[in-house]
Amino acid sequence: MTGTPDATARRRHVVGGLLLLATVQVLVVEEVVAAAWEVVPYSRAHHYVSDLGLAGCAELTGRTVCSPLHAMMNAGFVVHALLVAAAVVLLRDLVPGGARRWVVAAVLAHAVGVAWVGLVPGSLAEPVGGVPRYVVHNVGSVLAVVGGNVGALVAGAALLRRHRAWAVTSLVLGGAGALATVLDAVGVELGPGPGAGQRATMYPVVVWLVVTGAAVVTSAVRAGRASAPARGPGTWDGAGRHDA
């Protein structure tokens, strides 16, 4: 992660990192909403994440869907999108050179996709502009998964020399999510059911966002401690090193 010499920028990075850490809320909301199912138990192996956001009860392609807290899940998706969008604006300068625009574009695409999923739940009940609602919903799903995994891969590759541990983690998570996405697209079932396969495409992105938040906050705090007035302003390289 490229650096910035001033305390104001470090504080901005801390805020951005905390926003990324807060994206774990979408997993917490998922747990709460899933636990509220009563007509049938919610199955992470067989139910999709989007099933948690569907209003009403229905039989959909062999799945019984009945989510009493659907509004909470959809709000969780939108909050996730807002957290990610704000964080990428605050942290964009940590990615060097030409990779920056690609990472920003990919992660913003992820944020737009997740917001889309929350604002257009994937019900089969009614069309949107003459198109089945689930088709419109799936556009958001694709943006969310592809954008997040591409963002992790490009950021990891760009920062491999500067921040190796974080970069390798990013490449592993992005690679796992991307591979799962390709396999899912060609019809290879991952795990015991379709819900498990979907999670293999999207959970790596959430883990990457949280890990990135922790790395950014830790590096910024360490750099701030190293920036004692006696040592001069120096330069923060985003990996906790402080060069005069």
mmCIF file of all heavy atoms in Angstrom, residues 23 26-27 30 42 44 47-52 73 77 80 110 113-114 117 137 140-149 152 173-174 176-181 184 190 194-210:
data_model
loop_
_atom_site.group_PDB
_atom_site.id
_atom_site.type_symbol
_atom_site.label_atom_id
_atom_site.label_comp_id
_atom_site.label_asym_id
_atom_site.label_seq_id
_atom_site.Cartn_x
_atom_site.Cartn_y
_atom_site.Cartn_z
ATOM 1 N N THR A 23 -17.989 -4.058 7.774
ATOM 2 C CA THR A 23 -18.738 -4.841 6.798
ATOM 3 C C THR A 23 -19.059 -6.238 7.315
ATOM 4 O O THR A 23 -19.911 -6.931 6.735
ATOM 5 C CB THR A 23 -17.968 -4.970 5.463
ATOM 6 O OG1 THR A 23 -16.711 -5.614 5.683
ATOM 7 C CG2 THR A 23 -17.748 -3.607 4.833
ATOM 8 N N VAL A 26 -22.809 -7.622 7.766
ATOM 9 C CA VAL A 26 -23.702 -8.339 6.860
ATOM 10 C C VAL A 26 -23.775 -9.823 7.237
ATOM 11 O O VAL A 26 -24.828 -10.465 7.070
ATOM 12 C CB VAL A 26 -23.254 -8.156 5.391
ATOM 13 C CG1 VAL A 26 -22.042 -9.012 5.040
ATOM 14 C CG2 VAL A 26 -24.403 -8.450 4.430
ATOM 15 N N LEU A 27 -22.696 -10.375 7.792
ATOM 16 C CA LEU A 27 -22.712 -11.760 8.251
ATOM 17 C C LEU A 27 -23.511 -11.905 9.545
ATOM 18 O O LEU A 27 -24.207 -12.905 9.754
ATOM 19 C CB LEU A 27 -21.291 -12.271 8.454
ATOM 20 C CG LEU A 27 -20.387 -12.261 7.222
ATOM 21 C CD1 LEU A 27 -18.998 -12.814 7.580
ATOM 22 C CD2 LEU A 27 -20.998 -13.070 6.086
ATOM 23 N N GLU A 30 -27.114 -11.672 8.569
ATOM 24 C CA GLU A 30 -27.510 -12.944 7.958
ATOM 25 C C GLU A 30 -27.843 -13.984 9.028
ATOM 26 O O GLU A 30 -28.842 -14.709 8.919
ATOM 27 C CB GLU A 30 -26.381 -13.466 7.064
ATOM 28 C CG GLU A 30 -26.693 -14.796 6.414
ATOM 29 C CD GLU A 30 -25.515 -15.386 5.662
ATOM 30 O OE1 GLU A 30 -24.564 -14.646 5.365
ATOM 31 O OE2 GLU A 30 -25.556 -16.598 5.371
ATOM 32 N N TYR A 42 -33.812 -22.516 8.015
ATOM 33 C CA TYR A 42 -32.974 -21.978 6.950
ATOM 34 C C TYR A 42 -31.730 -22.852 6.823
ATOM 35 O O TYR A 42 -31.071 -23.177 7.814
ATOM 36 C CB TYR A 42 -32.560 -20.541 7.259
ATOM 37 C CG TYR A 42 -31.712 -19.932 6.175
ATOM 38 C CD1 TYR A 42 -32.295 -19.414 5.037
ATOM 39 C CD2 TYR A 42 -30.318 -19.899 6.293
ATOM 40 C CE1 TYR A 42 -31.511 -18.854 4.024
ATOM 41 C CE2 TYR A 42 -29.543 -19.358 5.294
ATOM 42 C CZ TYR A 42 -30.139 -18.832 4.164
ATOM 43 O OH TYR A 42 -29.367 -18.297 3.159
ATOM 44 N N ARG A 44 -28.014 -23.179 5.063
ATOM 45 C CA ARG A 44 -26.952 -22.524 4.300
ATOM 46 C C ARG A 44 -26.463 -23.388 3.150
ATOM 47 O O ARG A 44 -25.851 -22.886 2.215
ATOM 48 C CB ARG A 44 -25.791 -22.150 5.219
ATOM 49 C CG ARG A 44 -26.100 -20.942 6.090
ATOM 50 C CD ARG A 44 -24.989 -20.608 7.059
ATOM 51 N NE ARG A 44 -25.272 -19.365 7.733
ATOM 52 C CZ ARG A 44 -26.149 -19.233 8.730
ATOM 53 N NH1 ARG A 44 -26.824 -20.293 9.157
ATOM 54 N NH2 ARG A 44 -26.370 -18.062 9.294
ATOM 55 N N HIS A 47 -30.336 -23.121 0.803
ATOM 56 C CA HIS A 47 -30.953 -21.819 0.544
ATOM 57 C C HIS A 47 -29.897 -20.802 0.128
ATOM 58 O O HIS A 47 -28.778 -20.799 0.648
ATOM 59 C CB HIS A 47 -31.679 -21.297 1.788
ATOM 60 C CG HIS A 47 -32.968 -21.986 2.078
ATOM 61 N ND1 HIS A 47 -33.090 -22.975 3.024
ATOM 62 C CD2 HIS A 47 -34.208 -21.836 1.528
ATOM 63 C CE1 HIS A 47 -34.343 -23.393 3.068
ATOM 64 N NE2 HIS A 47 -35.038 -22.733 2.165
ATOM 65 N N TYR A 48 -30.293 -19.926 -0.796
ATOM 66 C CA TYR A 48 -29.416 -18.839 -1.209
ATOM 67 C C TYR A 48 -29.431 -17.735 -0.159
ATOM 68 O O TYR A 48 -30.397 -17.590 0.604
ATOM 69 C CB TYR A 48 -29.864 -18.265 -2.552
ATOM 70 C CG TYR A 48 -29.750 -19.229 -3.703
ATOM 71 C CD1 TYR A 48 -30.888 -19.751 -4.313
ATOM 72 C CD2 TYR A 48 -28.508 -19.621 -4.189
ATOM 73 C CE1 TYR A 48 -30.790 -20.636 -5.378
ATOM 74 C CE2 TYR A 48 -28.389 -20.501 -5.250
ATOM 75 C CZ TYR A 48 -29.537 -21.010 -5.840
ATOM 76 O OH TYR A 48 -29.435 -21.887 -6.874
ATOM 77 N N VAL A 49 -28.390 -16.918 -0.141
ATOM 78 C CA VAL A 49 -28.364 -15.763 0.754
ATOM 79 C C VAL A 49 -29.530 -14.830 0.426
ATOM 80 O O VAL A 49 -30.196 -14.295 1.313
ATOM 81 C CB VAL A 49 -27.026 -15.009 0.635
ATOM 82 C CG1 VAL A 49 -27.040 -13.754 1.508
ATOM 83 C CG2 VAL A 49 -25.863 -15.907 1.032
ATOM 84 N N SER A 50 -29.819 -14.652 -0.859
ATOM 85 C CA SER A 50 -30.896 -13.759 -1.271
ATOM 86 C C SER A 50 -32.258 -14.216 -0.785
ATOM 87 O O SER A 50 -33.185 -13.404 -0.691
ATOM 88 C CB SER A 50 -30.915 -13.622 -2.796
ATOM 89 O OG SER A 50 -29.741 -13.007 -3.260
ATOM 90 N N ASP A 51 -32.411 -15.515 -0.479
ATOM 91 C CA ASP A 51 -33.687 -16.002 0.048
ATOM 92 C C ASP A 51 -34.054 -15.309 1.351
ATOM 93 O O ASP A 51 -35.231 -15.179 1.691
ATOM 94 C CB ASP A 51 -33.623 -17.511 0.286
ATOM 95 C CG ASP A 51 -33.588 -18.313 -1.006
ATOM 96 O OD1 ASP A 51 -33.928 -17.751 -2.063
ATOM 97 O OD2 ASP A 51 -33.212 -19.503 -0.948
ATOM 98 N N LEU A 52 -33.042 -14.860 2.084
ATOM 99 C CA LEU A 52 -33.283 -14.162 3.344
ATOM 100 C C LEU A 52 -33.967 -12.817 3.140
ATOM 101 O O LEU A 52 -34.585 -12.283 4.061
ATOM 102 C CB LEU A 52 -31.960 -13.958 4.088
ATOM 103 C CG LEU A 52 -31.252 -15.230 4.550
ATOM 104 C CD1 LEU A 52 -29.839 -14.920 4.995
ATOM 105 C CD2 LEU A 52 -32.034 -15.898 5.677
ATOM 106 N N MET A 73 -32.569 -8.034 6.326
ATOM 107 C CA MET A 73 -31.515 -8.536 5.456
ATOM 108 C C MET A 73 -31.241 -7.575 4.323
ATOM 109 O O MET A 73 -30.080 -7.293 3.995
ATOM 110 C CB MET A 73 -31.919 -9.908 4.892
ATOM 111 C CG MET A 73 -30.780 -10.624 4.160
ATOM 112 S SD MET A 73 -29.467 -11.200 5.268
ATOM 113 C CE MET A 73 -28.157 -10.022 4.939
ATOM 114 N N PHE A 77 -27.750 -5.519 3.355
ATOM 115 C CA PHE A 77 -27.068 -5.435 2.066
ATOM 116 C C PHE A 77 -26.741 -3.980 1.717
ATOM 117 O O PHE A 77 -25.629 -3.662 1.275
ATOM 118 C CB PHE A 77 -27.949 -6.026 0.964
ATOM 119 C CG PHE A 77 -28.105 -7.525 1.014
ATOM 120 C CD1 PHE A 77 -29.330 -8.115 0.728
ATOM 121 C CD2 PHE A 77 -27.041 -8.344 1.337
ATOM 122 C CE1 PHE A 77 -29.493 -9.492 0.758
ATOM 123 C CE2 PHE A 77 -27.184 -9.731 1.383
ATOM 124 C CZ PHE A 77 -28.417 -10.302 1.090
ATOM 125 N N HIS A 80 -23.997 -2.557 3.892
ATOM 126 C CA HIS A 80 -22.712 -3.090 3.419
ATOM 127 C C HIS A 80 -22.206 -2.283 2.231
ATOM 128 O O HIS A 80 -21.021 -1.899 2.175
ATOM 129 C CB HIS A 80 -22.886 -4.555 3.017
ATOM 130 C CG HIS A 80 -21.660 -5.166 2.412
ATOM 131 N ND1 HIS A 80 -20.690 -5.804 3.158
ATOM 132 C CD2 HIS A 80 -21.231 -5.227 1.115
ATOM 133 C CE1 HIS A 80 -19.725 -6.234 2.362
ATOM 134 N NE2 HIS A 80 -20.024 -5.902 1.118
ATOM 135 N N HIS A 110 -18.672 -3.937 -6.842
ATOM 136 C CA HIS A 110 -19.139 -4.820 -5.769
ATOM 137 C C HIS A 110 -20.171 -4.110 -4.905
ATOM 138 O O HIS A 110 -21.238 -4.676 -4.600
ATOM 139 C CB HIS A 110 -17.947 -5.265 -4.921
ATOM 140 C CG HIS A 110 -18.333 -5.896 -3.626
ATOM 141 N ND1 HIS A 110 -18.825 -7.183 -3.539
ATOM 142 C CD2 HIS A 110 -18.327 -5.405 -2.354
ATOM 143 C CE1 HIS A 110 -19.096 -7.464 -2.279
ATOM 144 N NE2 HIS A 110 -18.801 -6.406 -1.531
ATOM 145 N N GLY A 113 -23.414 -3.686 -6.739
ATOM 146 C CA GLY A 113 -24.091 -4.968 -6.855
ATOM 147 C C GLY A 113 -24.792 -5.385 -5.576
ATOM 148 O O GLY A 113 -25.937 -5.861 -5.608
ATOM 149 N N VAL A 114 -24.136 -5.202 -4.437
ATOM 150 C CA VAL A 114 -24.749 -5.593 -3.161
ATOM 151 C C VAL A 114 -25.948 -4.689 -2.854
ATOM 152 O O VAL A 114 -26.991 -5.168 -2.382
ATOM 153 C CB VAL A 114 -23.720 -5.549 -2.027
ATOM 154 C CG1 VAL A 114 -24.385 -5.878 -0.687
ATOM 155 C CG2 VAL A 114 -22.597 -6.543 -2.280
ATOM 156 N N VAL A 117 -28.802 -5.890 -4.954
ATOM 157 C CA VAL A 117 -29.407 -7.098 -4.392
ATOM 158 C C VAL A 117 -30.398 -6.744 -3.281
ATOM 159 O O VAL A 117 -31.469 -7.340 -3.171
ATOM 160 C CB VAL A 117 -28.302 -8.032 -3.860
ATOM 161 C CG1 VAL A 117 -28.880 -9.112 -2.954
ATOM 162 C CG2 VAL A 117 -27.538 -8.666 -5.022
ATOM 163 N N HIS A 137 -32.511 -9.006 -10.398
ATOM 164 C CA HIS A 137 -31.792 -9.222 -9.142
ATOM 165 C C HIS A 137 -30.422 -9.861 -9.386
ATOM 166 O O HIS A 137 -29.427 -9.474 -8.778
ATOM 167 C CB HIS A 137 -32.639 -10.124 -8.244
ATOM 168 C CG HIS A 137 -31.949 -10.614 -7.020
ATOM 169 N ND1 HIS A 137 -31.888 -9.884 -5.849
ATOM 170 C CD2 HIS A 137 -31.277 -11.775 -6.771
ATOM 171 C CE1 HIS A 137 -31.212 -10.561 -4.937
ATOM 172 N NE2 HIS A 137 -30.834 -11.713 -5.465
ATOM 173 N N GLY A 140 -27.335 -7.731 -10.094
ATOM 174 C CA GLY A 140 -26.648 -7.237 -8.905
ATOM 175 C C GLY A 140 -25.756 -8.287 -8.290
ATOM 176 O O GLY A 140 -24.636 -7.996 -7.850
ATOM 177 N N SER A 141 -26.226 -9.527 -8.267
ATOM 178 C CA SER A 141 -25.419 -10.608 -7.701
ATOM 179 C C SER A 141 -24.106 -10.784 -8.461
ATOM 180 O O SER A 141 -23.040 -10.965 -7.862
ATOM 181 C CB SER A 141 -26.205 -11.923 -7.734
ATOM 182 O OG SER A 141 -27.369 -11.836 -6.937
ATOM 183 N N VAL A 142 -24.183 -10.724 -9.786
ATOM 184 C CA VAL A 142 -22.979 -10.877 -10.607
ATOM 185 C C VAL A 142 -22.007 -9.729 -10.351
ATOM 186 O O VAL A 142 -20.793 -9.934 -10.178
ATOM 187 C CB VAL A 142 -23.350 -10.960 -12.098
ATOM 188 C CG1 VAL A 142 -22.102 -10.900 -12.968
ATOM 189 C CG2 VAL A 142 -24.127 -12.247 -12.380
ATOM 190 N N LEU A 143 -22.514 -8.502 -10.322
ATOM 191 C CA LEU A 143 -21.654 -7.351 -10.036
ATOM 192 C C LEU A 143 -20.969 -7.499 -8.683
ATOM 193 O O LEU A 143 -19.774 -7.219 -8.540
ATOM 194 C CB LEU A 143 -22.483 -6.067 -10.048
ATOM 195 C CG LEU A 143 -22.822 -5.451 -11.400
ATOM 196 C CD1 LEU A 143 -23.778 -4.274 -11.204
ATOM 197 C CD2 LEU A 143 -21.570 -4.997 -12.133
ATOM 198 N N ALA A 144 -21.734 -7.930 -7.685
ATOM 199 C CA ALA A 144 -21.185 -8.044 -6.334
ATOM 200 C C ALA A 144 -20.064 -9.067 -6.268
ATOM 201 O O ALA A 144 -18.994 -8.795 -5.706
ATOM 202 C CB ALA A 144 -22.308 -8.416 -5.361
ATOM 203 N N VAL A 145 -20.295 -10.231 -6.844
ATOM 204 C CA VAL A 145 -19.318 -11.316 -6.742
ATOM 205 C C VAL A 145 -18.095 -11.053 -7.618
ATOM 206 O O VAL A 145 -16.946 -11.149 -7.161
ATOM 207 C CB VAL A 145 -19.985 -12.655 -7.124
ATOM 208 C CG1 VAL A 145 -18.938 -13.739 -7.287
ATOM 209 C CG2 VAL A 145 -21.007 -13.054 -6.070
ATOM 210 N N VAL A 146 -18.327 -10.699 -8.878
ATOM 211 C CA VAL A 146 -17.207 -10.471 -9.792
ATOM 212 C C VAL A 146 -16.397 -9.249 -9.354
ATOM 213 O O VAL A 146 -15.157 -9.286 -9.307
ATOM 214 C CB VAL A 146 -17.707 -10.314 -11.238
ATOM 215 C CG1 VAL A 146 -16.550 -9.919 -12.159
ATOM 216 C CG2 VAL A 146 -18.353 -11.606 -11.723
ATOM 217 N N GLY A 147 -17.071 -8.164 -9.018
ATOM 218 C CA GLY A 147 -16.364 -6.956 -8.596
ATOM 219 C C GLY A 147 -15.509 -7.183 -7.369
ATOM 220 O O GLY A 147 -14.343 -6.769 -7.324
ATOM 221 N N GLY A 148 -16.058 -7.876 -6.375
ATOM 222 C CA GLY A 148 -15.305 -8.096 -5.150
ATOM 223 C C GLY A 148 -14.086 -8.971 -5.357
ATOM 224 O O GLY A 148 -12.990 -8.663 -4.870
ATOM 225 N N ASN A 149 -14.253 -10.073 -6.092
ATOM 226 C CA ASN A 149 -13.125 -10.977 -6.302
ATOM 227 C C ASN A 149 -12.054 -10.374 -7.200
ATOM 228 O O ASN A 149 -10.854 -10.552 -6.963
ATOM 229 C CB ASN A 149 -13.625 -12.306 -6.869
ATOM 230 C CG ASN A 149 -14.353 -13.138 -5.827
ATOM 231 O OD1 ASN A 149 -13.840 -13.364 -4.732
ATOM 232 N ND2 ASN A 149 -15.555 -13.587 -6.140
ATOM 233 N N ALA A 152 -10.022 -7.919 -5.124
ATOM 234 C CA ALA A 152 -9.046 -8.590 -4.256
ATOM 235 C C ALA A 152 -7.827 -9.052 -5.046
ATOM 236 O O ALA A 152 -6.678 -8.898 -4.599
ATOM 237 C CB ALA A 152 -9.706 -9.779 -3.562
ATOM 238 N N LEU A 173 -7.768 -15.335 -1.299
ATOM 239 C CA LEU A 173 -9.214 -15.145 -1.153
ATOM 240 C C LEU A 173 -9.862 -14.800 -2.490
ATOM 241 O O LEU A 173 -10.906 -15.369 -2.857
ATOM 242 C CB LEU A 173 -9.490 -14.045 -0.126
ATOM 243 C CG LEU A 173 -9.180 -14.396 1.324
ATOM 244 C CD1 LEU A 173 -9.253 -13.161 2.208
ATOM 245 C CD2 LEU A 173 -10.137 -15.473 1.845
ATOM 246 N N GLY A 174 -9.250 -13.864 -3.227
ATOM 247 C CA GLY A 174 -9.802 -13.495 -4.532
ATOM 248 C C GLY A 174 -9.781 -14.655 -5.502
ATOM 249 O O GLY A 174 -10.723 -14.870 -6.274
ATOM 250 N N ALA A 176 -9.830 -17.898 -4.708
ATOM 251 C CA ALA A 176 -10.823 -18.888 -4.296
ATOM 252 C C ALA A 176 -12.219 -18.465 -4.717
ATOM 253 O O ALA A 176 -13.004 -19.275 -5.237
ATOM 254 C CB ALA A 176 -10.758 -19.086 -2.786
ATOM 255 N N GLY A 177 -12.540 -17.193 -4.495
ATOM 256 C CA GLY A 177 -13.859 -16.702 -4.888
ATOM 257 C C GLY A 177 -14.059 -16.714 -6.387
ATOM 258 O O GLY A 177 -15.137 -17.073 -6.880
ATOM 259 N N ALA A 178 -13.007 -16.341 -7.138
ATOM 260 C CA ALA A 178 -13.107 -16.334 -8.600
ATOM 261 C C ALA A 178 -13.268 -17.740 -9.152
ATOM 262 O O ALA A 178 -14.069 -17.989 -10.060
ATOM 263 C CB ALA A 178 -11.870 -15.663 -9.199
ATOM 264 N N LEU A 179 -12.505 -18.695 -8.606
ATOM 265 C CA LEU A 179 -12.608 -20.084 -9.055
ATOM 266 C C LEU A 179 -14.003 -20.632 -8.770
ATOM 267 O O LEU A 179 -14.615 -21.296 -9.626
ATOM 268 C CB LEU A 179 -11.556 -20.935 -8.352
ATOM 269 C CG LEU A 179 -11.589 -22.439 -8.666
ATOM 270 C CD1 LEU A 179 -11.367 -22.683 -10.162
ATOM 271 C CD2 LEU A 179 -10.543 -23.182 -7.846
ATOM 272 N N ALA A 180 -14.509 -20.348 -7.583
ATOM 273 C CA ALA A 180 -15.854 -20.807 -7.237
ATOM 274 C C ALA A 180 -16.893 -20.192 -8.169
ATOM 275 O O ALA A 180 -17.864 -20.852 -8.562
ATOM 276 C CB ALA A 180 -16.168 -20.445 -5.784
ATOM 277 N N THR A 181 -16.693 -18.938 -8.548
ATOM 278 C CA THR A 181 -17.632 -18.264 -9.453
ATOM 279 C C THR A 181 -17.638 -18.925 -10.823
ATOM 280 O O THR A 181 -18.701 -19.159 -11.414
ATOM 281 C CB THR A 181 -17.258 -16.774 -9.588
ATOM 282 O OG1 THR A 181 -17.294 -16.158 -8.292
ATOM 283 C CG2 THR A 181 -18.217 -16.049 -10.517
ATOM 284 N N ASP A 184 -19.262 -22.356 -10.523
ATOM 285 C CA ASP A 184 -20.710 -22.189 -10.364
ATOM 286 C C ASP A 184 -21.359 -21.821 -11.697
ATOM 287 O O ASP A 184 -22.442 -22.315 -12.040
ATOM 288 C CB ASP A 184 -21.000 -21.115 -9.313
ATOM 289 C CG ASP A 184 -22.477 -20.963 -9.020
ATOM 290 O OD1 ASP A 184 -23.099 -21.940 -8.587
ATOM 291 O OD2 ASP A 184 -23.015 -19.854 -9.238
ATOM 292 N N LEU A 190 -20.734 -26.954 -5.878
ATOM 293 C CA LEU A 190 -19.718 -26.861 -4.829
ATOM 294 C C LEU A 190 -20.383 -27.096 -3.481
ATOM 295 O O LEU A 190 -21.246 -26.334 -3.073
ATOM 296 C CB LEU A 190 -19.064 -25.479 -4.856
ATOM 297 C CG LEU A 190 -18.402 -25.072 -6.175
ATOM 298 C CD1 LEU A 190 -17.976 -23.616 -6.125
ATOM 299 C CD2 LEU A 190 -17.217 -25.972 -6.467
ATOM 300 N N PRO A 194 -26.853 -25.763 -3.500
ATOM 301 C CA PRO A 194 -26.620 -24.496 -4.200
ATOM 302 C C PRO A 194 -26.280 -23.329 -3.280
ATOM 303 O O PRO A 194 -25.530 -22.429 -3.662
ATOM 304 C CB PRO A 194 -27.939 -24.254 -4.934
ATOM 305 C CG PRO A 194 -28.960 -25.034 -4.161
ATOM 306 C CD PRO A 194 -28.240 -26.247 -3.683
ATOM 307 N N GLY A 195 -26.807 -23.360 -2.063
ATOM 308 C CA GLY A 195 -26.478 -22.287 -1.119
ATOM 309 C C GLY A 195 -25.012 -22.299 -0.738
ATOM 310 O O GLY A 195 -24.380 -21.248 -0.616
ATOM 311 N N ALA A 196 -24.477 -23.502 -0.562
ATOM 312 C CA ALA A 196 -23.049 -23.625 -0.228
ATOM 313 C C ALA A 196 -22.196 -23.124 -1.378
ATOM 314 O O ALA A 196 -21.182 -22.432 -1.177
ATOM 315 C CB ALA A 196 -22.713 -25.078 0.098
ATOM 316 N N GLY A 197 -22.594 -23.461 -2.605
ATOM 317 C CA GLY A 197 -21.847 -22.998 -3.769
ATOM 318 C C GLY A 197 -21.859 -21.491 -3.900
ATOM 319 O O GLY A 197 -20.830 -20.870 -4.201
ATOM 320 N N GLN A 198 -23.018 -20.880 -3.653
ATOM 321 C CA GLN A 198 -23.094 -19.419 -3.724
ATOM 322 C C GLN A 198 -22.203 -18.767 -2.676
ATOM 323 O O GLN A 198 -21.504 -17.795 -2.951
ATOM 324 C CB GLN A 198 -24.541 -18.955 -3.527
ATOM 325 C CG GLN A 198 -24.705 -17.453 -3.706
ATOM 326 C CD GLN A 198 -26.018 -16.930 -3.133
ATOM 327 O OE1 GLN A 198 -26.405 -17.283 -2.023
ATOM 328 N NE2 GLN A 198 -26.699 -16.107 -3.911
ATOM 329 N N ARG A 199 -22.188 -19.317 -1.503
ATOM 330 C CA ARG A 199 -21.363 -18.747 -0.437
ATOM 331 C C ARG A 199 -19.879 -18.852 -0.752
ATOM 332 O O ARG A 199 -19.091 -17.998 -0.347
ATOM 333 C CB ARG A 199 -21.700 -19.425 0.891
ATOM 334 C CG ARG A 199 -23.010 -18.933 1.469
ATOM 335 C CD ARG A 199 -23.505 -19.760 2.650
ATOM 336 N NE ARG A 199 -24.613 -19.074 3.291
ATOM 337 C CZ ARG A 199 -25.869 -19.071 2.821
ATOM 338 N NH1 ARG A 199 -26.171 -19.743 1.732
ATOM 339 N NH2 ARG A 199 -26.818 -18.396 3.440
ATOM 340 N N ALA A 200 -19.500 -19.898 -1.476
ATOM 341 C CA ALA A 200 -18.098 -20.032 -1.867
ATOM 342 C C ALA A 200 -17.664 -18.915 -2.799
ATOM 343 O O ALA A 200 -16.483 -18.574 -2.870
ATOM 344 C CB ALA A 200 -17.870 -21.390 -2.539
ATOM 345 N N THR A 201 -18.607 -18.303 -3.521
ATOM 346 C CA THR A 201 -18.278 -17.202 -4.425
ATOM 347 C C THR A 201 -18.234 -15.856 -3.707
ATOM 348 O O THR A 201 -17.532 -14.948 -4.150
ATOM 349 C CB THR A 201 -19.302 -17.099 -5.573
ATOM 350 O OG1 THR A 201 -20.569 -16.642 -5.074
ATOM 351 C CG2 THR A 201 -19.497 -18.436 -6.259
ATOM 352 N N MET A 202 -18.980 -15.716 -2.616
ATOM 353 C CA MET A 202 -19.142 -14.392 -2.010
ATOM 354 C C MET A 202 -18.486 -14.233 -0.646
ATOM 355 O O MET A 202 -18.012 -13.144 -0.318
ATOM 356 C CB MET A 202 -20.628 -14.036 -1.903
ATOM 357 C CG MET A 202 -21.439 -15.011 -1.100
ATOM 358 S SD MET A 202 -23.171 -14.502 -0.909
ATOM 359 C CE MET A 202 -22.998 -13.108 0.181
ATOM 360 N N TYR A 203 -18.415 -15.275 0.167
ATOM 361 C CA TYR A 203 -17.808 -15.124 1.486
ATOM 362 C C TYR A 203 -16.342 -14.698 1.420
ATOM 363 O O TYR A 203 -15.901 -13.915 2.275
ATOM 364 C CB TYR A 203 -17.942 -16.417 2.279
ATOM 365 C CG TYR A 203 -19.271 -16.599 2.988
ATOM 366 C CD1 TYR A 203 -20.336 -15.727 2.786
ATOM 367 C CD2 TYR A 203 -19.470 -17.672 3.853
ATOM 368 C CE1 TYR A 203 -21.543 -15.908 3.427
ATOM 369 C CE2 TYR A 203 -20.680 -17.860 4.504
ATOM 370 C CZ TYR A 203 -21.719 -16.982 4.286
ATOM 371 O OH TYR A 203 -22.921 -17.170 4.927
ATOM 372 N N PRO A 204 -15.546 -15.185 0.437
ATOM 373 C CA PRO A 204 -14.162 -14.704 0.371
ATOM 374 C C PRO A 204 -14.056 -13.186 0.237
ATOM 375 O O PRO A 204 -13.115 -12.572 0.750
ATOM 376 C CB PRO A 204 -13.606 -15.413 -0.874
ATOM 377 C CG PRO A 204 -14.390 -16.668 -0.961
ATOM 378 C CD PRO A 204 -15.780 -16.277 -0.544
ATOM 379 N N VAL A 205 -15.028 -12.573 -0.427
ATOM 380 C CA VAL A 205 -14.994 -11.118 -0.585
ATOM 381 C C VAL A 205 -15.192 -10.426 0.757
ATOM 382 O O VAL A 205 -14.469 -9.475 1.106
ATOM 383 C CB VAL A 205 -16.068 -10.646 -1.584
ATOM 384 C CG1 VAL A 205 -16.045 -9.119 -1.710
ATOM 385 C CG2 VAL A 205 -15.858 -11.297 -2.944
ATOM 386 N N VAL A 206 -16.163 -10.891 1.529
ATOM 387 C CA VAL A 206 -16.412 -10.269 2.832
ATOM 388 C C VAL A 206 -15.203 -10.453 3.742
ATOM 389 O O VAL A 206 -14.783 -9.512 4.441
ATOM 390 C CB VAL A 206 -17.679 -10.861 3.486
ATOM 391 C CG1 VAL A 206 -17.930 -10.199 4.840
ATOM 392 C CG2 VAL A 206 -18.896 -10.671 2.586
ATOM 393 N N VAL A 207 -14.631 -11.656 3.742
ATOM 394 C CA VAL A 207 -13.428 -11.894 4.555
ATOM 395 C C VAL A 207 -12.305 -10.971 4.109
ATOM 396 O O VAL A 207 -11.587 -10.386 4.951
ATOM 397 C CB VAL A 207 -12.997 -13.366 4.453
ATOM 398 C CG1 VAL A 207 -11.661 -13.582 5.172
ATOM 399 C CG2 VAL A 207 -14.062 -14.281 5.036
ATOM 400 N N TRP A 208 -12.134 -10.808 2.794
ATOM 401 C CA TRP A 208 -11.080 -9.922 2.282
ATOM 402 C C TRP A 208 -11.292 -8.487 2.755
ATOM 403 O O TRP A 208 -10.336 -7.807 3.162
ATOM 404 C CB TRP A 208 -11.047 -9.973 0.755
ATOM 405 C CG TRP A 208 -10.075 -8.998 0.161
ATOM 406 C CD1 TRP A 208 -8.716 -9.010 0.302
ATOM 407 C CD2 TRP A 208 -10.387 -7.854 -0.637
ATOM 408 N NE1 TRP A 208 -8.165 -7.950 -0.377
ATOM 409 C CE2 TRP A 208 -9.170 -7.222 -0.965
ATOM 410 C CE3 TRP A 208 -11.581 -7.333 -1.125
ATOM 411 C CZ2 TRP A 208 -9.112 -6.072 -1.748
ATOM 412 C CZ3 TRP A 208 -11.533 -6.187 -1.908
ATOM 413 C CH2 TRP A 208 -10.300 -5.560 -2.205
ATOM 414 N N LEU A 209 -12.520 -8.008 2.711
ATOM 415 C CA LEU A 209 -12.794 -6.636 3.145
ATOM 416 C C LEU A 209 -12.452 -6.453 4.625
ATOM 417 O O LEU A 209 -11.835 -5.451 5.011
ATOM 418 C CB LEU A 209 -14.266 -6.296 2.897
ATOM 419 C CG LEU A 209 -14.703 -6.201 1.431
ATOM 420 C CD1 LEU A 209 -16.214 -6.088 1.333
ATOM 421 C CD2 LEU A 209 -14.032 -5.020 0.738
ATOM 422 N N VAL A 210 -12.833 -7.417 5.445
ATOM 423 C CA VAL A 210 -12.560 -7.312 6.884
ATOM 424 C C VAL A 210 -11.058 -7.399 7.153
ATOM 425 O O VAL A 210 -10.510 -6.617 7.948
ATOM 426 C CB VAL A 210 -13.326 -8.411 7.647
ATOM 427 C CG1 VAL A 210 -12.928 -8.410 9.124
ATOM 428 C CG2 VAL A 210 -14.838 -8.207 7.514
#
